[in-house]
């Protein structure tokens, strides 16, 4: 019963494992198909998003973190492309958490740089962006991934530029460019280079290094024009920045020419109205600075209208400031005041340099106490911004220190984990070696025991032969004694009697009367004499038939079992088998095989007749054991210990065993063993 339970349990476990493997493979196939679908640009965005979410859901279902991370990365890219920035942030946070748990440097770096991009481009939280960028920098330095390291450094340089850390931004940008110069000029490499050139152009403009600014802006624009893909907005941004540098450096004609190149593209107004509005405002301001006021303030008002229609509220601050300055210079104080307050009210939401400039303009426009009030607010805000900038710089330094400390700690823990793993493997190997040695010792003991058992079997057989030889020797001595008694005693007496009778025959008196009778007696005596002489010679034969010792032992055993269990037997052996030349090991095992067979027959078959035949065919002894018992189905594998022992012995002797049996028709065992007769 227990065996059946164990079998059923194993079967169920096997089915369960197979089902799980099948389910796992199906899930992987489904994920691969969904991943291809979500990258198919021929379908609509909603369908792409649906397929990407389904792929991510299935990757969580199969519960393999590395696969989940992989498909979340694909979903993350799609979220960014379709401007689902909150979802983009959340899925990268999830990936970062899982990657930290797995201690997978590559995926930690990717999730960190993605979060750095999100916080830099879509939020005012420059410290969060800096933290994630700096983490990815340390990771990519360890991995020696120059491309992604340059990307992360560019992100940091852009943050530093935004926080007025112009010298640090320049240094970080040059470091990123140095890395990219070592790489092949692919589309992706050139794209990052163009962004870095643009950042350097802005940095040098803010440092009033106008020639350097112009040089790097031009480099960036030239590279962007060669890129594969739609970089129209980025190119026009760079052209706007270049024209602004011309304007700030007093090169008004070049600035006006550059702005005209931008503004003559009517498609820009439809596709990117916020860029068109800023270019138009900068163009108007360049005209204002160059004292060319013919188209003003119409150009300002047009750019403001475009910005408002594009919901570009932040960009409208500068336009309001330019209008306030224009009207103030043209002594239209009310209009100047109106636009200055507009700029102030919007910039208060951001609490940055735009608010500072709005307060400064109001301090010029307003009269007396109100002007003083705005100027005091300007000074206070300026101090606050400077303090905030120092705080941010300190925060950046702290983030860098904490990140470096974290990376060093991670390295230490990684080294410690590697050491622990190595020690663990060594301990496992030692235990495995000890186990192997113990198993080998046990095997050696078993082999020694089997050798000793074989030796004991051979010694037992030798003793049996010696005992049989002694028995035969005793029989020979007894025969010899009987022979001597017969020869020297009875035979002599009979001889004497015969001679006496012959003398009686010579008796003349009774010759005729007793002649016939005496002849009969004499003939009888002569017959007895011959029989006794023959018997004497047979008994006195001293040759011990060694060939028949093994057969004798077998016959004695079978005869004893026959009397004990009341069955008839037939024992046949071929005369051409030279038993004295056959290895004792073979004879011992043949004896044991016959023992096992007779025990099986007596116990299970209940046979009335057993036949044992020995024959020799081409250096192979064949042993046939036949019984007329109940038999069994020989097609089914037998689990009896007797047959297993017989199979084991035949296998040791490199022989062959054939079992033929049917129910109620008896059993035939045919055993063939190779022998080498000398």
């Amino acid at each position: 019963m227990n065996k059946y339970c164990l079998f059923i349990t194993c079967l169920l476990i096997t089915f369960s494992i197979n089902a799980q493997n099948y389910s796992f493979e199906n899930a992987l196939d489904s994920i691969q198909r969904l991943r291809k679908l979500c990258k198919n640009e021929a379908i609509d965005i909603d369908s792409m998003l649906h397929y990407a979410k389904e792929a991510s859901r299935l990757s969580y279902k199969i519960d393999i973190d590395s696969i989940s991370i992989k498909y979340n990365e694909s979903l993350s890219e799609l979220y960014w492309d379709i401007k689902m920035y909150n979802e983009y942030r959340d899925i990268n946070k999830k990936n970062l958490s899982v990657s930290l748990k797995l201690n997978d440097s590559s995926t930690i770096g990717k999730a960190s740089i993605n979060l750095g991009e999100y916080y830099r481009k879509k939020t005012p939280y420059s410290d969060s962006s800096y933290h994630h960028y700096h983490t990815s920098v340390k990771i990519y330095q360890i991995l020696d991934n120059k491309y992604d390291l340059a990307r992360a450094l560019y992100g940091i340089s852009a943050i530093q530029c935004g926080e007025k850390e112009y010298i640090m931004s320049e240094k970080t940008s040059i470091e990123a460019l140095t890395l990219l110069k070592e790489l092949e000029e692919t589309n992706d490499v050139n794209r990052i280079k163009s962004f870095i050139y643009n950042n350097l152009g802005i940095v040098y403009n803010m440092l009033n290094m106008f020639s350097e600014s112009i040089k790097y802006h031009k480099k960036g624009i030239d590279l962007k024009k060669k890129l594969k893909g739609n970089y129209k907005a980025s190119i026009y941004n760079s052209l706007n920045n270049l024209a602004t540098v011309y304007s700030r450096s007093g090169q008004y004609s070049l600035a006006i020419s550059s702005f005209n190149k931008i503004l003559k593209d009517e498609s820009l107004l439809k596709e990117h109205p916020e860029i068109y509005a800023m270019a138009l405002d900068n163009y108007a301001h360049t005209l204002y600075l160059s004292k060319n006021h013919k188209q003003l303030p119409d150009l300002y008002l047009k750019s403001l209208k475009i910005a408002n229609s594009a919901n570009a509220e932040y960009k409208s601050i500068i336009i309001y400031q330019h209008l306030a300055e224009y009207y103030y210079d043209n002594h239209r104080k009310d209009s100047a005041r109106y636009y200055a307050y507009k700029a102030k009210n919007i910039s208060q939401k951001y609490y940055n340099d735009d608010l500072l400039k709005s307060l400064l303009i109001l301090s010029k426009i307003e009269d007396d106490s109100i002007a003083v009030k705005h100027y005091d607010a300007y000074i206070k805000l300026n101090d606050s911004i400077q303090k905030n900038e120092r705080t941010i710089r300190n925060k950046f330094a702290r983030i860098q220190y904490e990140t470096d400390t974290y990376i060093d700690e991670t390295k230490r823990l990684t080294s410690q984990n590697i050491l622990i793993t190595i020690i663990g493997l060594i301990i496992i190997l030692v235990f495995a070696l000890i186990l192997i040695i113990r198993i080998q010792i046990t095997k050696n003991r078993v082999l020694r025991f089997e050798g000793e058992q074989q030796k004991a079997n051979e010694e037992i057989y030798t003793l049996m032969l010696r005992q049989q030889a002694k028995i035969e020797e005793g029989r020979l001595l007894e025969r010899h004694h009987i022979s001597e008694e017969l020869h020297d005693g009875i035979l002599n007496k009979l001889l004497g009697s015969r001679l006496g009778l012959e003398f009686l025959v010579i008796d003349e008196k009774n010759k005729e009367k007793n002649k016939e009778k005496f002849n009969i007696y004499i003939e009888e005596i002569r017959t007895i004499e011959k029989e006794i002489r023959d018997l004497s010679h047979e008994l006195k034969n001293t040759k011990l038939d060694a060939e028949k010792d093994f057969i004798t032992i077998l016959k004695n055993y079978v005869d004893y079992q026959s009397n004990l269990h009341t069955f008839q037997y037939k024992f046949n052996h071929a005369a051409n088998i030279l038993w004295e030349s056959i290895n004792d090991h073979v004879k011992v095992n043949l004896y044991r095989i016959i023992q096992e067979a007779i025990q099986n027959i007596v116990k299970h078959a209940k046979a009335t007749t057993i036949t044992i035949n020995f024959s020799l065919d081409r250096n192979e002894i064949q042993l046939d054991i036949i019984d007329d018992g109940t038999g069994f189905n020989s097609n089914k594998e037998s689990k009896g210990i007797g047959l297993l022992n017989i199979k084991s012995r035949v296998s040791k002797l490199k022989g062959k065993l054939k079992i033929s049996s049917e129910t109620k028709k008896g059993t035939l065992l045919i055993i063939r063993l190779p022998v080498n007769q000398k």
Side-chain angles (χ1 to χ4, degrees):
M1 185 66 183
N2 289 336
K3 290 180 180 177
Y4 288 121
C5 289
L6 181 61
F7 173 75
I8 290 167
T9 303
C10 292
L11 197 63
L12 288 172
I13 291 170
T14 303
F15 284 152
S16 175
I17 291 169
N18 287 337
Q20 288 174 4
N21 288 339
Y22 180 73
S23 176
F24 177 78
E25 289 172 3
N26 281 349
L28 278 182
D29 290 341
S30 298
I31 290 169
Q32 292 285 5
R33 287 196 298 273
L34 290 166
R35 189 161 181 258
K36 287 179 181 177
L37 285 169
C38 75
K39 289 182 176 293
N40 185 0
E41 295 181 357
I43 62 177
D44 60 274
I45 290 294
D46 290 338
S47 298
M48 291 171 68
L49 183 60
H50 168 73
Y51 294 136
K53 284 182 176 179
E54 187 63 18
S56 181
R57 185 188 67 80
L58 281 176
S59 69
Y60 281 113
K61 187 177 179 181
I62 62 177
D63 197 26
I64 298 178
D65 289 335
S66 57
I67 293 176
S68 299
I69 290 170
K70 180 180 177 182
Y71 292 105
N72 279 348
E73 286 173 354
S74 298
L75 185 56
S76 164
E77 292 173 9
L78 188 57
Y79 280 146
W80 186 267
D81 290 340
I82 61 178
K83 298 179 173 55
M84 294 178 68
Y85 300 119
N86 290 339
E87 289 79 1
Y88 175 86
R89 174 199 60 205
D90 294 340
I91 204 163
N92 277 290
K93 280 185 175 180
K94 189 181 293 183
N95 266 9
L96 181 59
S97 176
V98 177
S99 300
L100 288 168
K101 184 177 73 174
L102 294 176
N103 198 23
D104 185 344
S105 298
S106 178
T107 54
I108 290 171
K110 190 159 189 177
S112 295
I113 202 169
N114 286 348
L115 287 168
E117 292 279 289
Y118 165 77
Y119 284 113
R120 178 172 70 87
K121 294 180 179 178
K122 303 302 172 185
T123 74
Y125 308 125
S126 59
D127 53 343
S128 296
S129 180
Y130 188 89
H131 165 73
H132 289 294
Y133 275 132
H134 196 71
T135 300
S136 62
V137 164
K138 292 301 178 183
I139 293 291
Y140 291 131
Q141 282 175 340
I142 294 169
L143 297 175
D144 195 27
N145 183 340
K146 291 183 173 62
Y147 172 73
D148 286 318
L149 177 56
R151 280 181 63 210
L153 288 171
Y154 161 66
I156 290 174
S157 70
I159 294 169
Q160 289 169 334
C161 180
E163 297 297 336
K164 302 179 184 178
E165 290 282 340
Y166 300 122
I167 301 301
M168 290 302 299
S169 180
E170 177 193 20
K171 178 178 177 297
T172 308
S173 297
I174 297 300
E175 187 180 347
L177 282 175
T178 304
L179 289 167
L180 292 174
K181 282 180 182 178
E182 299 178 29
L183 304 177
E184 183 184 351
E185 290 191 353
T186 62
N187 196 67
D188 287 335
V189 169
N190 285 335
R191 179 172 59 86
I192 301 302
K193 273 186 183 179
S194 69
F195 295 160
I196 297 171
Y197 288 147
N198 185 68
N199 186 66
L200 282 169
I202 295 169
V203 165
Y204 289 130
N205 181 35
M206 300 311 294
L207 292 172
N208 295 327
M209 298 170 64
F210 300 120
S211 60
E212 288 295 308
S213 177
I214 292 166
K215 179 179 80 172
Y216 280 104
H217 275 310
K218 284 183 175 180
K219 275 188 170 186
I221 292 165
D222 289 342
L223 263 185
K224 286 178 182 179
K225 287 179 178 179
K226 295 175 184 177
L227 295 176
K228 296 175 183 177
N230 185 7
Y231 291 95
K232 184 176 181 179
S234 184
I235 291 169
Y236 278 123
N237 263 328
S238 294
L239 285 169
N240 185 37
N241 290 337
L242 175 62
T244 304
V245 176
Y246 285 138
S247 180
R248 286 193 71 231
S249 62
Q251 302 178 62
Y252 299 123
S253 59
L254 285 173
I256 291 168
S257 173
S258 297
F259 283 127
N260 281 326
K261 287 179 183 178
I262 300 171
L263 298 172
K264 74 177 181 180
D265 187 350
E266 295 180 359
S267 64
L268 182 64
L269 178 59
K270 295 178 181 178
E271 295 170 8
H272 303 285
E274 71 284 356
I275 297 175
Y276 190 91
M278 289 308 299
L280 185 58
D281 172 67
N282 287 332
Y283 172 60
H285 194 62
T286 302
L287 293 175
Y288 165 75
L289 293 173
S290 64
K291 308 300 182 182
N292 183 0
H293 295 182
K294 288 181 182 180
Q295 301 180 65
L296 303 180
D298 294 340
L299 292 178
Y300 282 130
L301 294 171
K302 183 180 178 181
S303 68
L304 181 61
K305 183 178 179 181
I306 295 169
N308 288 335
S309 64
N311 295 319
E313 183 186 59
Y314 183 77
K315 295 184 183 298
S316 68
I317 295 171
I318 296 173
I319 303 173
Y320 284 127
Q321 290 172 349
H322 287 166
L323 278 166
E325 289 176 343
Y326 168 77
Y327 283 121
Y328 179 72
D329 283 350
N330 284 277
H331 309 293
R332 295 173 63 180
K333 204 169 184 181
D334 290 338
S335 295
R337 185 183 296 111
Y338 171 78
Y339 287 112
Y341 276 107
K342 276 281 189 181
K344 173 182 172 292
N345 292 337
I346 296 172
S347 59
Q348 277 180 328
K349 298 178 184 179
Y350 303 97
Y351 202 76
N352 58 8
D353 287 347
D354 292 317
L355 177 57
L356 196 67
K357 187 176 180 181
S358 298
L359 290 171
L360 185 59
I361 291 170
L362 281 169
S363 70
K364 293 178 182 178
I365 294 171
E366 288 287 7
D367 298 321
D368 303 330
S369 60
I370 299 174
V372 171
K373 181 181 176 183
H374 286 306
Y375 191 73
D376 288 342
Y378 167 81
I379 293 171
K380 185 178 180 182
L381 177 60
N382 187 49
D383 291 341
S384 176
I385 288 174
Q386 288 181 1
K387 184 179 179 182
N388 188 51
E389 288 172 354
R390 285 195 298 271
T391 303
I392 288 173
R393 283 195 291 272
N394 293 335
K395 188 180 285 188
F396 285 172
R398 188 177 72 252
I399 288 169
Q400 187 169 347
Y401 170 75
E402 289 174 352
T403 307
D404 291 346
T405 305
Y406 169 76
I407 295 296
D408 292 340
E409 181 66 13
T410 302
K411 285 182 182 177
R412 188 186 67 79
L413 290 174
T414 303
S415 302
Q416 187 177 344
N417 289 337
I418 291 170
L419 183 61
I420 290 169
T421 304
I422 291 170
I423 292 170
L425 287 173
I426 291 170
I427 291 170
I428 291 169
L429 287 172
V430 168
F431 276 113
L433 189 61
I434 292 169
L435 183 62
I436 291 167
I437 291 170
R438 288 179 65 86
I439 291 170
Q440 194 59 46
I441 289 170
T442 304
K443 284 184 179 179
N444 291 339
R445 285 177 181 172
V446 171
L447 289 172
R448 281 201 303 272
F449 174 75
E450 288 179 351
E452 290 170 0
Q453 190 178 34
Q454 185 62 38
K455 187 177 179 182
N457 285 340
E458 291 179 0
E459 288 177 356
I460 289 168
Y461 177 71
T462 304
L463 288 172
M464 288 170 65
L465 289 179
R466 287 179 183 174
Q467 184 181 13
Q468 189 67 28
K470 286 182 179 180
I471 291 170
E472 291 297 320
E473 187 179 356
R475 288 177 181 172
L476 288 172
L477 289 173
E478 187 64 25
R479 283 176 168 184
H480 189 73
H481 176 69
I482 294 170
S483 174
E484 287 180 345
E485 289 294 325
L486 287 172
H487 190 274
D488 296 340
I490 296 171
L491 190 60
N492 286 337
K493 288 178 182 180
L494 285 173
L495 182 60
S497 297
R498 182 176 63 78
L499 291 173
L501 286 173
E502 287 180 351
F503 282 121
L504 288 175
V505 172
I506 299 172
D507 184 5
E508 294 294 335
K509 293 180 180 181
N510 299 314
K511 183 176 180 181
E512 292 295 331
K513 184 180 178 180
N514 297 323
K515 185 176 180 181
E516 184 178 347
K517 190 175 181 179
F518 284 154
N519 283 338
I520 293 169
Y521 287 149
I522 287 169
E523 189 60 35
E524 285 182 3
I525 291 169
R526 191 179 287 123
T527 301
I528 292 168
E529 177 187 343
K530 184 177 181 304
E531 288 177 358
I532 292 171
R533 184 179 289 108
D534 289 343
L535 179 61
S536 173
H537 281 281
E538 185 179 348
L539 287 170
K540 203 169 182 179
N541 184 6
T542 59
K543 183 180 179 184
L544 181 64
D545 193 352
E547 292 184 17
K548 295 181 181 178
D549 284 347
F550 177 66
I551 298 299
T552 303
I553 292 170
L554 287 177
K555 281 184 177 179
N556 288 342
Y557 171 74
V558 177
D559 188 64
Y560 174 76
Q561 293 295 325
S562 172
N563 293 329
L564 184 64
H565 297 290
T566 62
F567 62 80
Q568 301 297 317
Y569 75 91
K570 297 176 185 177
F571 195 99
N572 305 310
H573 66 97
N576 62 342
I577 303 175
L578 304 178
W579 290 105
E580 77 279 4
S581 68
I582 293 173
N583 190 295
D584 287 348
H585 178 61
V586 175
K587 289 188 274 190
V588 168
N589 278 285
L590 282 170
Y591 183 84
R592 297 298 184 205
I593 288 168
I594 291 171
Q595 272 187 323
E596 291 282 1
I598 290 176
Q599 289 297 322
N600 270 7
I601 292 166
V602 169
K603 186 175 179 182
H604 302 293
K606 299 179 175 57
T608 58
T609 304
I610 299 174
T611 302
I612 299 173
N613 296 327
F614 278 106
S615 59
L616 181 68
D617 180 24
R618 286 179 287 184
N619 289 329
E620 278 191 341
I621 286 179
Q622 179 168 319
L623 167 60
D624 300 333
I625 303 173
I626 309 162
D627 71 76
D628 61 355
T630 56
F632 60 93
N633 187 353
S634 59
N635 292 325
K636 292 184 179 179
E637 186 177 355
S638 173
K639 296 182 180 179
I641 191 68
L643 282 176
L644 290 175
N645 285 342
I646 290 172
K647 288 178 182 177
S648 175
R649 290 183 184 279
V650 171
S651 176
K652 286 180 182 177
L653 297 173
K654 298 181 180 178
K656 299 174 183 176
L657 170 65
K658 182 180 179 182
I659 303 172
S660 178
S661 181
E662 292 183 34
T663 306
K664 298 182 180 180
K665 290 188 179 181
T667 303
L668 168 63
L669 264 67
I670 301 174
I671 298 160
R672 294 181 69 88
L673 303 175
V675 293
N676 184 19
Q677 292 197 128
K678 298 179 183 178

